[in-house]
Amino acid sequence: MALRNIAIIAHVDHGKTTLVDQLFRQSGTFRANQRVDERAMDREDQERERGITILAKCTSVMWGETRLNIVDTPGHADFGGEVERILSMVDGVLLLVDAAEGPMPQTKFVTQKALAIGLRPIVCINKVDKPDADPDAALDQVFDLFAALEADEDQLDFPVLYGSGREGWMADAPDAGDGSLAPLFDKIVEHVPAPRPQRENKLDEPFTMLPTLQERDQFLGRILTGRIESGRVRMGETIKILSLNGVKAGEARITKLFHYEGLARVPVNEAGAGDIIALAGLETATVSDTLCAPEVEQPLEALPIDPPTLSMTFRVNDSPLAGREGDKLTGRLLRDRLFRQAETDVAIHVAETPERDAYQVAGRGELQLAVLIETLRREGFELSVSRPRTVNKKDPETGEIREPIEDVQVDVDEEHQGTVVEKLSQRKAELVEVKPSGGGKVRLVFSAPSRGLIGYHSEFLTDTRGTGIMHRRYSGYTPYKGPIPGRRNGVLISMENGKAVAYALWNLEDRGVIMVEPGSEVYEGMIIGEHSRPNDLEVNPIKSKKLTNIRAAGKDENVQLTPPRVLSLEDALAYIDDDELLEVTPKSIRLRKRFLKAHERKKESRKAEADVL
């Protein structure tokens, strides 16, 4: 049977997963009367809620006598570790570009990885039915992008298709669609080469495979997915596991062998070089190991993964309200879960810290870490996390501190251009390019340190009245750019334990913005609002109105509160300062000071001042 392995890559919301839905329908994977959810490949709850692909997933469809193994990849740079591993097991990429927006920063991120390892792309200009679509301009931008990424002549001679993934058609011209994806299927079969192991006749060599995806099944245990680089593998065989440095890490017997058909894993008895398969029964192997026949001595080379750029400290929840909502409360459970996450996601690094029951977790960005925290709280964990910090490096030759820097692309209305430039300049960003982007909007391109962007997104939406669009992409490391101003306002800190009272909150509204509702549980050291001035202020949110036997006009006016500011998980992570923590439980998100007692905070403040002097 002929095989083709291809990955679909694109920026967030350019239509990857929707296009895969249509590939399923038109290849006959689904019955005509079968009920299937939209975005069938986004199976995780958070993927459906956020509308993004978080985990790369494999699928397979038949087109004539050819089986197409398709990988749906994340479009967000925070989950780039998934993309980098996936590219090592495909032989071509389908680059999807929005006809109105053109290539975006994260398109560049993934495409750069694909071109660097020699993959030849097929370009699909998607969403040509949008009112503001400009397919020709989008194609010109794609060509310019490839040239800037130093694509070779074969890669620059890419085939182009136009269409609409939602409507289910692709064609050689924007106005030539006939309601079918047949031109896309034919182009994949024609343009994408057969798997490299098959082209190099490696079927008769010893079995080798480099896993690129890892997941866990409650019945089968650990399941590893990857492409067979050489030889054949059969159900029940015993294979060897080699670590990255070639050291034998053990042996294991294959208990289940699968390939992909549509949304399902289908058991098979045998698979050969070039096929993408999943193996069960290998409890000690991970995505960085080589699975091979007993006689193989050299491990396969793995692609380098970009380093993490942000880190946070995850702690066991030690607040006065700990243990009321979650059922996973101990440091041992948190440690095991974090290291298990690091096994399956190579973009996340976990390390022990000198503090008890506290672990350093480093990742690609705020969104990736927020998704991990949300996953933990849904599993029943209670924890507290620190403010995100950038992972800096020291130059071994000069001793100079270097920090991660990002390319930032902003589309804003012209009236908000000055405000955005001013705010980002204060955060040490450098303006690289300004150009019109149509519809009265201006496209601004900045080079900004990652630490300057922490917490900026919500402020950006406020400054642009919700009309601005911002995209970020990790670029590299640059010399440290100096101090950046932090949060301008202090916070209101509860000085008592109990339930917040409407009368007390009403009296505190003049002091700042309230973040809790009447009846909410509060405790000493918990942050209940934002102060209107730069300093922190301790307040009593449980103080009730004193009752007397005197009745007078105006004494019993109704308390009318302004609705509190409710922070989402991502907003709360960006809001907290270095001396604050975010308490996360299955039902609640609370802001608190790291040291709950007032005298402990004063002691720590004096100690910090002494260290500076």
Side-chain angles (χ1 to χ4, degrees):
M1 179 187 297
L3 278 177
R4 297 291 186 273
N5 298 330
I6 189 167
I8 301 181
I9 60 177
H11 185 78
V12 175
D13 202 33
H14 278 201
K16 299 182 303 298
T17 309
T18 302
L19 178 62
V20 173
D21 284 355
Q22 293 293 343
L23 293 175
F24 283 151
R25 296 181 187 282
Q26 298 193 26
S27 65
T29 303
F30 297 150
R31 299 189 313 272
N33 63 343
Q34 185 173 349
R35 182 188 177 95
V36 182
D37 292 333
E38 287 190 12
R39 305 197 334 268
M41 291 291 283
D42 286 347
R43 296 190 289 269
E44 300 292 327
D45 290 341
Q46 287 199 66
E47 291 181 316
R48 291 189 172 278
E49 292 167 12
R50 295 172 183 267
I52 61 173
T53 300
I54 295 174
L55 302 173
K57 304 175 192 69
C58 297
T59 186
S60 173
V61 299
M62 291 296 299
W63 185 249
E65 298 298 319
T66 304
R67 181 147 63 87
L68 309 179
N69 289 322
I70 301 172
V71 184
D72 184 20
T73 63
H76 202 288
D78 280 20
F79 308 105
E82 294 279 330
V83 178
E84 294 168 61
R85 290 180 291 166
I86 282 296
L87 293 177
S88 66
M89 67 178 187
V90 298
D91 304 283
V93 292
L94 184 66
L95 175 60
L96 215 58
V97 177
D98 189 297
E101 297 181 355
M104 300 297 277
Q106 289 156 23
T107 311
K108 179 180 178 181
F109 167 79
V110 185
T111 305
Q112 184 177 22
K113 299 291 183 183
L115 296 178
I117 60 176
L119 297 178
R120 294 180 61 199
I122 298 173
V123 175
C124 290
I125 308 298
N126 194 28
K127 303 186 181 183
V128 297
D129 52 337
K130 292 174 70 171
D132 56 344
D134 190 347
D136 294 335
L139 180 59
D140 290 342
Q141 293 174 34
V142 171
F143 191 87
D144 292 342
L145 172 63
F146 282 19
L149 296 178
E150 300 180 351
D152 59 35
E153 291 186 5
D154 288 338
Q155 291 170 331
L156 286 172
D157 188 23
F158 52 82
V160 183
L161 292 171
Y162 303 86
S164 169
R166 179 173 291 278
E167 294 183 1
W169 66 270
M170 286 285 168
D172 293 326
D175 54 356
D178 60 357
S180 170
L181 288 173
L184 175 58
F185 282 114
D186 293 338
K187 192 69 70 176
I188 292 174
V189 174
E190 171 193 345
H191 186 74
V192 177
R196 179 175 51 78
Q198 289 187 358
R199 302 197 306 272
E200 298 176 1
N201 297 319
K202 291 190 173 184
L203 279 169
D204 297 327
E205 298 182 9
F207 166 71
T208 57
M209 170 180 161
L210 186 69
T212 53
L213 295 175
Q214 178 176 314
E215 55 189 309
R216 176 164 290 276
D217 185 276
Q218 59 178 331
F219 302 109
L220 300 175
R222 184 176 298 183
I223 297 177
L224 297 170
T225 300
R227 182 178 69 177
I228 301 177
E229 290 298 321
S230 64
R232 295 181 179 274
V233 64
R234 296 172 181 83
M235 247 271 288
E237 283 187 344
T238 298
I239 59 174
K240 185 164 68 173
I241 303 167
L242 289 178
S243 62
L244 276 172
N245 55 10
V247 177
K248 181 178 177 181
E251 292 185 348
R253 179 176 172 272
I254 299 173
T255 58
K256 285 289 183 181
L257 179 63
F258 302 95
H259 73 207
Y260 291 88
E261 290 184 9
L263 299 176
R265 283 194 296 255
V266 179
V268 293
N269 292 321
E270 181 181 353
D275 204 357
I276 294 176
I277 62 167
L279 301 174
L282 313 176
E283 285 300 313
T284 59
T286 69
V287 292
S288 59
D289 294 333
T290 297
L291 311 180
C292 56
E295 61 268 27
V296 176
E297 299 296 334
Q298 282 296 113
L300 297 172
E301 184 178 355
L303 283 177
I305 304 296
D306 283 343
T309 57
L310 285 182
S311 72
M312 298 168 61
T313 302
F314 285 46
R315 294 179 173 84
V316 170
N317 186 20
D318 61 354
S319 85
L321 302 181
R324 297 193 181 187
E325 298 174 3
D327 55 7
K328 296 180 175 67
L329 312 172
T330 65
R332 179 183 60 82
L333 288 174
L334 180 61
R335 180 188 185 279
D336 292 346
R337 179 63 181 84
L338 291 175
F339 277 97
R340 196 161 68 243
Q341 181 72 22
E343 278 186 15
T344 60
D345 190 345
V346 294
I348 283 184
H349 294 182
V350 180
E352 307 269 4
T353 68
E355 299 179 57
R356 181 182 177 185
D357 293 335
Y359 308 95
Q360 197 79 14
V361 181
R364 285 287 180 83
E366 294 169 79
L367 179 59
Q368 184 188 30
L369 295 173
V371 167
L372 173 58
I373 295 169
E374 180 65 29
T375 301
L376 293 177
R377 71 183 294 218
R378 293 186 184 197
E379 293 176 2
F381 282 89
E382 288 194 12
L383 64 153
S384 59
V385 295
S386 70
R387 174 180 170 83
R389 297 180 297 275
T390 55
V391 180
N392 296 336
K393 294 181 177 180
K394 181 178 287 189
D395 191 307
E397 297 180 358
T398 63
E400 181 183 45
I401 300 295
R402 302 178 67 83
E403 63 176 336
I405 195 167
E406 301 185 25
D407 294 332
V408 184
Q409 181 174 296
V410 175
D411 289 322
V412 294
D413 294 332
E414 292 182 4
E415 60 183 298
H416 304 308
Q417 176 181 352
T419 304
V420 173
V421 171
E422 179 186 359
K423 290 288 183 69
L424 282 173
S425 298
Q426 293 173 357
R427 294 167 176 263
K428 304 297 184 183
E430 297 176 4
L431 184 62
V432 177
E433 184 181 4
V434 181
K435 61 182 179 181
S437 60
K441 288 187 177 291
V442 178
R443 177 164 294 178
L444 309 172
V445 181
F446 295 88
S447 177
S450 297
R451 63 191 170 95
L453 298 173
I454 296 174
Y456 174 65
H457 191 256
S458 59
E459 188 176 338
F460 168 75
L461 291 177
T462 302
D463 292 340
T464 60
R465 305 294 188 268
T467 62
I469 301 173
M470 181 172 69
H471 299 290
R472 301 161 49 179
R473 185 185 75 89
Y474 165 76
S475 176
Y477 275 76
T478 188
Y480 186 74
K481 291 183 174 291
I484 294 175
R487 190 177 66 203
R488 294 189 298 270
N489 294 73
V491 291
L492 303 177
I493 308 168
S494 172
M495 56 194 300
E496 298 288 346
N497 300 326
K499 289 188 176 182
V501 177
Y503 176 76
L505 298 180
W506 180 58
N507 285 313
L508 291 174
E509 284 190 341
D510 292 339
R511 299 288 190 173
V513 180
I514 304 300
M515 296 181 180
V516 297
E517 296 179 345
S520 301
E521 289 274 3
V522 299
Y523 53 82
E524 183 180 3
M526 177 176 162
I527 296 171
I528 67 160
E530 180 178 81
H531 194 197
S532 56
R533 297 184 180 184
N535 62 303
D536 294 343
L537 182 66
E538 295 179 23
V539 297
N540 183 0
I542 69 170
K543 181 181 179 181
S544 59
K545 183 178 181 181
K546 299 299 181 183
L547 300 179
T548 69
N549 60 355
I550 299 174
R551 303 297 297 266
K555 286 289 185 180
D556 298 319
E557 66 267 18
N558 289 328
V559 173
Q560 294 184 346
L561 292 175
T562 303
R565 181 200 294 181
V566 179
L567 298 179
S568 65
L569 177 60
E570 288 89 342
D571 290 340
L573 284 173
Y575 183 82
I576 57 177
D577 217 333
D578 291 334
D579 64 337
E580 297 163 0
L581 298 175
L582 180 64
E583 178 188 351
V584 180
T585 68
K587 297 180 182 178
S588 307
I589 295 176
R590 304 183 185 96
L591 282 65
R592 52 163 284 189
K593 286 294 184 179
R594 182 178 177 187
F595 296 98
L596 298 180
K597 302 290 185 182
H599 69 272
E600 292 178 345
R601 293 196 294 273
K602 291 178 181 177
K603 180 180 177 181
E604 190 67 20
S605 176
R606 288 195 295 268
K607 182 180 176 182
E609 290 174 1
D611 291 340
V612 171
L613 296 175

